[in-house]
Amino acid sequence: MDAATAAARLTALMAERVDHRFKGLPPDAEGRTLAELAAERRNLFTGGFTTPILALSAERLEHNLGLMETYASRHGLAFAPHGKTSMAPQLFHRQIAHGAVGITLAVPHQVRVARHFGIQRVFLANELVDPAALRAIAADLAADPDYRFICYVDSLRGVALMDAALTGAARPVDVVIELAAGEGARTGVRTEAECAAIADAVAATRTLRLVGVAGYEAEVPQADPDRVRAWLGRLTALAADLDKAGRFAGLNEIVVSAGGSAWFDTVADVFAQLPELSAPVLKLLRSGAYVSHDDGHYRKLTPFARVPEEGALEPAFRLWAQVVSRPSPDQAFVNAGKRDAAYDLDLPFAQVVRRDGEEHKANGVSVTALSDQHAWLRTTPEADIRVGDWLGLGLSHPCTSFDKWPLIPVAEADGTVVDYIRTFF
């Protein structure tokens, strides 16, 4: 797909009209296009937005994009961030503008979204055995010689199913062998001997081309730096062994890929020690949660916390809800719940109370549970919170924050909304 078509499709997102599909937007904006609404630069707090409303910080989003670009460059890593975190084509293109070589995805629907918006390099971190999806990808590869698609293989059965579905394809589909992170881990090949057998099976087809190895270190059982490092050593040794066996002959580039959002510092260290192979190595990092970061899960685990001289990611999400009940001195309720807030790893974190244009820290306020449309708050005597106040909540795990909001305003520090991010889950 040419750049002009991709740009036109991104522009078309902002031609969508504000209506009932998008929660939290000002009722009096009904019928305006998103571009028109963005041009009005309304204020998140005084411009008619209703609660609950999830917002992205414009400044923190840009900071995070820039920091990971710098990190990948400093460590000699290519970067294809996991797009399933946001499923937001506008963010995909901002990530590519900040140095990403492509986007990582997980399922065929996500590939269709990325391709519709002109993403030219897709890494599918999954074995793909759906014949309809494989035929569609083969047709896309045939129609666009500049399109690069890579996916996992992790079984002989998978190789056979892919080969059958791709019979007659004009271009072979590039694959990498996924090495499992250990016994009891998620997907992937458990042993190096099985990896060799799968490499042989791929070589016996005309429809597949083996281009490297990959895996996901966060699935290492009882992950800690030593266990993660040991598994990454297995991954790089597997690449070297397959190369020595001639399995990458004729390639211009060998792919070695890992990197979730918790251990990419260890990935960078181990990948820096890769021996020279028969072709240049694309050391591909796939961390995706950085784009918004969070106030819980990844904030505790981020490599930047372990290596502070590298910089620091900043939580870019804040969910605003309104206090709708204060039934007792030690209890209150706001109008945001499971439909609005990530809760699969940690409950939201009460951060600030906003009243009459002023903000103060949410001292003495904590979230103890979520119902469908309410958050349960425990309040101590120091809590200064009343019915009608807005409560700003920090969120954990961005992967389950984006998927609850098909449209997310991007607000500057003073509340001025400068953009809207469209998501496709």
Side-chain angles (χ1 to χ4, degrees):
M1 182 183 298
D2 62 82
T5 300
R9 290 179 176 179
L10 283 174
T11 300
L13 287 178
M14 299 303 287
E16 287 196 80
R17 296 196 176 274
V18 174
D19 59 23
H20 60 278
R21 292 172 297 162
F22 306 128
K23 57 186 179 180
L25 297 194
D28 68 351
E30 180 87 12
R32 289 176 175 79
T33 68
L34 292 174
E36 290 167 346
L37 187 57
E40 292 179 3
R41 295 176 64 86
R42 293 197 187 200
N43 189 278
L44 188 70
F45 308 110
T46 61
F49 292 86
T50 63
T51 56
I53 183 73
L54 180 70
L56 269 170
S57 162
E59 296 88 352
R60 292 184 170 199
L61 176 61
E62 183 61 26
H63 167 83
N64 292 344
L65 290 166
L67 182 64
M68 282 301 289
E69 178 182 21
T70 300
Y71 183 90
S73 177
R74 181 186 301 133
H75 291 280
L77 300 169
F79 190 34
H82 218 313
K84 58 92 177 172
T85 300
S86 69
M87 281 308 298
Q90 293 149 291
L91 294 183
F92 293 173
H93 281 276
R94 287 186 67 174
Q95 288 169 308
I96 288 169
H98 279 276
V101 299
I103 297 296
T104 296
L105 299 163
V107 293
H109 156 71
Q110 295 170 358
V111 177
R112 290 183 64 195
V113 172
R115 288 297 290 155
H116 179 81
F117 290 99
I119 301 303
Q120 287 295 92
R121 295 187 72 168
V122 170
F123 186 100
L124 186 72
N126 229 336
E127 183 169 64
L128 181 58
V129 293
D130 184 291
L134 284 164
R135 287 192 292 268
I137 286 166
D140 202 2
L141 287 166
D144 186 350
D146 295 325
Y147 176 35
R148 179 109 191 255
F149 173 86
I150 301 173
C151 71
Y152 284 175
V153 289
D154 85 342
S155 65
L156 295 174
R157 170 72 172 165
V159 171
L161 290 171
M162 295 178 76
D163 184 41
L166 292 167
T167 299
R171 288 171 60 186
V173 169
D174 288 345
V175 297
V176 292
I177 294 174
E178 182 194 8
L179 179 67
E183 285 300 323
R186 199 165 59 187
T187 56
V189 187
R190 266 35 184 184
T191 70
E192 281 75 2
E194 291 173 286
C195 288
I198 290 169
D200 290 342
V202 170
T205 74
R206 296 182 179 180
T207 59
L208 304 175
R209 182 175 72 156
L210 184 64
V211 298
V213 298
Y216 181 44
E217 72 288 341
E219 285 295 313
V220 170
Q222 300 176 313
D224 61 25
D226 291 337
R227 289 188 176 95
V228 169
R229 187 176 297 276
W231 176 81
L232 287 164
R234 285 183 62 201
L235 183 69
T236 55
L238 174 64
D241 288 345
L242 291 173
D243 188 47
K244 195 176 300 181
R247 288 309 181 202
F248 302 136
L251 295 182
N252 295 322
E253 178 180 80
I254 298 168
V255 177
V256 180
S257 179
S261 294
W263 298 101
F264 56 77
D265 55 336
T266 310
V267 173
D269 288 346
V270 176
F271 279 13
Q273 300 164 29
L274 261 165
E276 185 174 343
L277 302 184
S278 63
V281 177
L282 185 75
K283 302 172 184 177
L284 191 65
L285 186 68
R286 307 192 308 269
S287 314
Y290 81 98
V291 67
S292 62
H293 199 41
D294 68 11
D295 281 288
H297 180 69
Y298 286 118
R299 193 168 193 174
K300 301 170 189 172
L301 294 175
T302 175
F304 292 113
R306 293 191 291 271
V307 192
E309 59 268 26
E310 295 273 16
L313 293 169
E314 297 178 353
F317 270 140
R318 180 164 281 173
L319 176 64
W320 290 96
Q322 194 164 27
V323 181
V324 293
S325 181
R326 189 81 161 93
S328 68
D330 61 357
Q331 194 174 39
F333 293 85
V334 294
N335 63 344
K338 293 179 181 178
R339 308 297 184 207
D340 315 295
Y343 61 92
D344 59 317
L345 294 178
D346 295 300
L347 291 171
F349 307 92
Q351 294 178 326
V352 295
V353 176
R354 186 176 181 88
R355 180 189 307 148
D356 299 328
E358 301 291 332
E359 292 183 9
H360 61 264
K361 289 183 179 180
N363 294 328
V365 181
S366 59
V367 178
T368 59
L370 295 177
S371 299
D372 284 351
Q373 300 291 179
H374 292 93
W376 296 58
L377 307 181
R378 178 182 294 120
T379 56
T380 66
E382 66 177 321
D384 180 10
I385 190 167
R386 307 174 191 169
V387 170
D389 290 347
W390 281 33
L391 179 66
L393 297 166
L395 301 176
S396 177
H397 203 191
C399 297
T400 51
S401 295
F402 279 100
D403 64 355
K404 298 176 184 298
W405 292 84
L407 193 72
I408 303 170
V410 180
E412 294 179 339
D414 66 356
T416 302
V417 175
V418 296
D419 200 1
Y420 294 86
I421 300 297
R422 187 74 162 87
T423 67
F424 292 86
F425 282 94

